[in-house]
Amino acid sequence: MEQASSFVVATRAALAQLTAIAVQYSFSVVGAIVLLVIGWVVAGLISRWAHNGLLRIHGIDATLAQFFSNAIRYALLILVIVMVLGQFGVQTASVLAALGAAGLAIGLALQGTLQNIAAGIMLLVLRPFRVGESIETGSISGTIVDVGLFATELRTSDGVYRLAPNSTLWNVPITNYSRLRTRRHEITITIGSDDDLDEAQAKLIRIAEADDRIVKDPPPSTYVADFDAGSVKISLRYWSISSDWWQTSRDLTKAVKLAFDKKPEVPDPQAIQA
């Protein structure tokens, strides 16, 4: 009987303790759920607000705005999770220390990837090139298709797709052929030393002025580039719109070649006598 009584007393005590624990933690669970829901909603609202605000800033790329807004959202969610753990008596200081150590380990493991992200952010902020522009570096050239956080997509002049890590574009000089509105080109021809120098220069100017794609300011110009005992080199210098530079340079080179290939017409002696 005594053993039965002791068992009943112990059982009642255990049930009372479990009830107290259940009541205590039920409030913690409810509070954690409420905190998670509110934190999730608030993080989403702040993320959208930050995204829309960044897009209104001149020069901020949409990709960069999305990256920063997502970073803010995830940082707020991590803070909410730490607060939820605190509801259950977990030491938040040790959790933050563990998160810091994990972040350091991940950063060391993904050092190359993080370098590309940092380079991508700088490329999106400083904008040395944009989508549709033609660029060239020491080993990469082509037209920009897309600029991402990790890599940049290009299309080469012969129609080949190329993916370049952002770090390879950030640490080298970049030549942007499309950024400025106009671009200069020169065509050099060689004439005989006995040919009319002034007439040759005037002919080059007329050929350039006849093409509407060549800008009027600054106007086309010519100069004597070099000469020797039997020949003279004359250069035509002109400016055209950057988007038309390639086709204009090809067409004008052909026009100059055809113009200086023409031989003066020799009068027909029979026609003169007639």
Side-chain angles (χ1 to χ4, degrees):
M1 294 294 294
E2 294 181 358
Q3 293 180 352
S5 300
S6 300
F7 176 76
V8 171
V9 171
T11 303
R12 289 178 179 178
L15 289 175
Q17 187 175 3
L18 289 174
T19 302
I21 293 174
V23 172
Q24 177 183 357
Y25 279 98
S26 64
F27 288 106
S28 298
V29 170
V30 172
I33 293 174
V34 173
L35 188 60
L36 280 174
V37 173
I38 294 177
W40 185 276
V41 174
V42 171
L45 291 175
I46 294 178
S47 175
R48 286 193 293 272
W49 174 80
H51 182 265
N52 295 331
L54 289 172
L55 288 179
R56 285 193 288 267
I57 300 176
H58 178 71
I60 294 295
D61 189 86
T63 304
L64 193 61
Q66 186 66 38
F67 172 77
F68 281 127
S69 62
N70 287 337
I72 293 173
R73 182 171 181 268
Y74 292 135
L76 291 175
L77 290 177
I78 291 174
L79 179 62
V80 170
I81 292 174
V82 171
M83 295 173 62
V84 169
L85 293 176
Q87 292 288 322
F88 295 96
V90 178
Q91 294 295 326
T92 56
S94 60
V95 173
L96 292 176
L99 289 176
L104 179 60
I106 294 173
L108 292 175
L110 301 177
Q111 185 175 3
T113 302
L114 294 178
Q115 184 179 4
N116 286 327
I117 293 177
I121 292 175
M122 296 305 298
L123 291 175
L124 290 170
V125 171
L126 298 180
R127 307 299 293 274
F129 48 77
R130 295 182 174 88
V131 174
E133 293 183 338
S134 178
I135 69 165
E136 181 180 0
T137 66
S139 58
I140 301 172
S141 64
T143 302
I144 301 298
V145 176
D146 183 53
V147 182
L149 286 175
F150 297 94
T152 298
E153 300 178 22
L154 300 96
R155 184 180 65 254
T156 63
S157 58
D158 53 349
V160 177
Y161 172 85
R162 177 168 291 182
L163 184 68
N166 287 331
S167 58
T168 62
L169 296 175
W170 175 246
N171 295 324
V172 295
I174 298 175
T175 301
N176 191 328
Y177 294 110
S178 306
R179 176 58 55 88
L180 301 181
R181 177 179 175 272
T182 58
R183 185 178 170 187
R184 195 185 71 186
H185 185 247
E186 291 187 5
I187 299 175
T188 300
I189 64 171
T190 302
I191 63 173
S193 57
D194 296 333
D195 294 333
D196 191 334
L197 179 60
D198 293 332
E199 174 59 26
Q201 289 182 285
K203 183 184 289 188
L204 289 173
I205 294 295
R206 288 195 299 268
I207 294 172
E209 291 177 343
D211 196 319
D212 296 333
R213 295 169 296 181
I214 296 177
V215 300
K216 308 302 179 183
D217 186 20
S221 61
T222 60
Y223 64 93
V224 177
D226 197 6
F227 66 91
D228 54 29
S231 63
V232 179
K233 291 184 178 180
I234 306 174
S235 292
L236 168 66
R237 176 179 292 178
Y238 66 90
W239 293 77
S240 63
I241 303 300
S242 297
S243 57
D244 298 331
W245 181 89
W246 175 258
Q247 191 60 46
T248 302
S249 63
R250 302 307 97 186
D251 293 342
L252 209 64
T253 301
K254 180 180 179 180
V256 170
K257 174 67 167 59
L258 294 176
F260 281 85
D261 278 350
K262 291 181 179 179
K263 303 298 182 181
E265 296 182 359
V266 179
D268 186 358
Q270 294 181 357
I272 295 177
Q273 291 178 0

